[in-house]
Amino acid sequence: MKHSTTPQTRRGHRGGPARRIGRTLALVLPVVLVLSGTLAVTRVNWTGSPSSSVLAASDVSSAEVSAKTVSRAPQDVLRDQLITELQKKDPGVVLTHLQQAVNGHPSLARHCAAIARSLGQAAARIYGVPRAQSYARPVCDTSFASGVLAARG
């Protein structure tokens, strides 16, 4: 009978350094992956605004994050952009841009009336009620006209 020159390992034998490294990695690697994934998610800019700074999760409380998210909803951003544009261009152009935005992003349709009403109020402040009323047209269910009238009283 021939005997092998390689030592045979017995069950329960610890093995060499490669086996110890493998066991250590098996315990440590999942922890490292979970932590690095968590840190990566907290560093992502979830607001969609390229100008906002990226914050770590520990830097801001959840109430502050939700308040900032609520205040910069897409309809709020659109409304602010259109009101700014209203100061440079006539209400007819701004109403056309509102209609195009709603056509391009149907999720904004439910906010269209409120945005148009805000534009009507702003137009009444900027141009006066009679002139602002002359731009009224059936965008978002004539809410622009009702906004102009609301600013009157």
Side-chain angles (χ1 to χ4, degrees), residues 38-144:
T38 303
L39 292 174
V41 168
T42 60
R43 301 295 294 180
V44 172
N45 180 1
W46 294 104
T47 62
S49 171
S51 63
S52 66
S53 62
V54 178
L55 301 171
S58 61
D59 294 343
V60 180
S61 71
S62 62
E64 289 175 293
V65 169
S66 63
K68 287 182 182 181
T69 303
V70 169
S71 68
R72 297 310 302 164
Q75 65 271 13
D76 295 334
V77 171
L78 176 62
R79 185 194 64 239
D80 293 346
Q81 286 174 345
L82 292 174
I83 288 176
T84 301
E85 184 179 4
L86 185 63
Q87 296 171 358
K88 299 172 188 166
K89 298 179 181 172
D90 70 67
V93 173
V94 176
L95 286 172
T96 299
H97 290 160
L98 172 61
Q99 190 65 53
Q100 290 170 344
V102 171
N103 291 344
H105 303 284
S107 63
L108 292 171
R110 66 181 174 182
H111 304 287
C112 186
I115 294 170
R117 196 172 304 110
S118 296
L119 289 172
Q121 291 170 348
R125 283 192 306 272
I126 295 170
Y127 297 101
V129 174
R131 185 169 175 210
Q133 187 65 39
S134 71
Y135 289 102
R137 61 179 201 231
V139 174
C140 304
D141 209 20
T142 65
S143 295
F144 178 82

Side-chain angles (χ1 to χ4, degrees), residues 2-24:
K2 281 191 156 181
H3 292 286
S4 166
T5 57
T6 327
Q8 298 292 321
T9 59
R10 287 179 254 138
R11 184 170 285 234
H13 187 261
R14 289 194 166 259
R19 188 173 184 107
R20 281 191 302 260
I21 291 173
R23 285 183 181 170
T24 303

Side-chain angles (χ1 to χ4, degrees), residues 16-34:
R19 188 173 184 107
R20 281 191 302 260
I21 291 173
R23 285 183 181 170
T24 303
L25 282 176
L27 292 173
V28 173
L29 192 58
V31 174
V32 170
L33 290 175
V34 168

